[in-house]
Amino acid sequence: MTKNLISVVDDDESTRRTTTLLLESLGFQASAFESAETFLESGQVHQTSCLIVDVRMPEMDGLQLQSHLAAAGYSIPIIFITAYDSDDSRQRAMQAGAVAFLGKPFGDELLLQTIRAALRRKFGVTKALISVVDDDESVRRTTTLLIESFGYRAAAFESAESFLRAAKLDDTACLIVDIQMPGMNGLQLQSHLAAAGSSIPIIFITAYDDKESRQQALQAGAVAFLGKPFSDKLLHQTIGAALRQQEGDTTT
């Protein structure tokens, strides 16, 4: 793995130590700073390929550091970490271009995947678009926010028909779709896409799991069939599996 420099800014000494040790074990160079100010004064801003920063810190907090770097013309991809997740902070961070917004504690694999997404952005690789089709507005909102926190782009649609009309088919790398919806349901959308020659990997989500629907979806090639509510970790792992399947299909 290329020795990219990952800078960690966190006022918690134990978090700095464990995160830098983890980064080094994954093959990265890592530098740790106890505050935004010490990071800016260090002279390592130019060398940093990815910045992992706490949201809440004394003096300049993580969101203020993000704004400061943007105003100074830096395009360092930023991963926020926090023990105090809030919709407002998450929304501000993501709207300002953050790669991800991770709640503490986070898993090793999740951090690695997020850093990879950050480095793809840094070196000009387009992020995968994950499309979500669900008639429940709250599910669409929470799922798209979660997907963006993983480092992907997300687009949400209230129906299968609106997804098909949106002309996002060619851009979509993975489709997350509810089973039961008014009009065209999830299984019908899967059949429609297959008949059109589309090979987009599909992850089904449902609050009404039943063996018949599960069997039909998986036999038709679905990547997974997840019951609501599903965990952040499970969704992240399943999207990763779907994208690996898509890459395999592309290279075959």
Side-chain angles (χ1 to χ4, degrees):
M1 186 177 295
T2 302
K3 289 283 186 178
N4 294 292
L5 175 62
I6 315 296
S7 292
V8 180
V9 182
D10 197 304
D11 61 311
D12 186 314
E13 194 275 333
S14 65
T15 298
R16 293 197 304 274
R17 183 179 65 253
T18 55
T19 305
T20 52
L21 286 172
L22 174 59
L23 291 169
E24 289 168 350
S25 76
L26 296 172
F28 299 105
Q29 288 180 303
S31 292
F33 306 90
E34 63 183 9
S35 68
E37 291 83 358
T38 56
F39 170 65
L40 293 172
E41 294 165 1
S42 69
Q44 293 196 334
V45 180
H46 294 290
Q47 287 77 42
T48 298
S49 296
C50 174
L51 179 61
I52 298 174
V53 61
D54 193 15
V55 174
R56 292 191 180 185
M57 295 184 292
E59 303 299 330
M60 184 184 290
D61 65 23
L63 294 170
Q64 291 169 331
L65 175 58
Q66 181 186 38
S67 298
H68 178 91
L69 290 171
Y74 290 103
S75 58
I76 303 170
I78 298 176
I79 298 168
F80 281 99
I81 55 176
T82 183
Y84 306 96
D85 195 353
S86 71
D87 288 342
D88 179 63
S89 295
R90 177 184 291 270
Q91 186 174 12
R92 286 175 59 195
M94 300 307 296
Q95 286 180 343
V99 175
F101 196 100
L102 307 181
K104 299 177 183 177
F106 42 82
D108 297 2
E109 181 63 25
L110 176 57
L111 182 62
L112 176 59
Q113 294 292 337
T114 308
I115 290 172
R116 285 175 173 168
L119 295 177
R120 286 196 295 270
R121 175 187 293 191
K122 174 70 174 178
F123 299 111
V125 180
T126 303
K127 294 189 295 181
L129 174 65
I130 314 297
S131 290
V132 179
V133 182
D134 197 303
D135 63 309
D136 186 319
E137 194 274 334
S138 66
V139 172
R140 292 197 305 274
R141 183 180 65 253
T142 56
T143 306
T144 52
L145 285 171
L146 182 57
I147 289 167
E148 289 170 345
S149 78
F150 297 153
Y152 303 111
R153 292 182 295 145
F157 306 91
E158 63 184 7
S159 67
E161 292 84 355
S162 63
F163 169 67
L164 293 172
R165 287 195 301 268
K168 292 287 186 182
L169 195 57
D170 292 335
D171 296 332
T172 298
C174 174
L175 179 63
I176 298 174
V177 60
D178 192 17
I179 290 283
Q180 296 190 3
M181 296 184 292
M184 183 184 292
N185 67 30
L187 293 171
Q188 291 169 334
L189 175 59
Q190 181 186 38
S191 298
H192 177 90
L193 293 173
S198 172
S199 60
I200 299 172
I202 297 175
I203 298 168
F204 282 101
I205 56 176
T206 182
Y208 307 97
D209 195 350
D210 70 85
K211 291 183 179 179
E212 183 179 350
S213 296
R214 176 183 290 272
Q215 184 176 13
Q216 182 179 340
L218 295 174
Q219 285 182 342
V223 175
F225 196 99
L226 307 181
K228 300 176 184 176
F230 42 81
S231 70
D232 297 4
K233 181 178 180 181
L234 178 58
L235 182 63
H236 191 260
Q237 291 175 337
T238 308
I239 291 173
L243 296 178
R244 287 192 294 273
Q245 174 178 307
Q246 179 76 335
E247 290 173 359
D249 290 344
T250 302
T251 57
T252 300

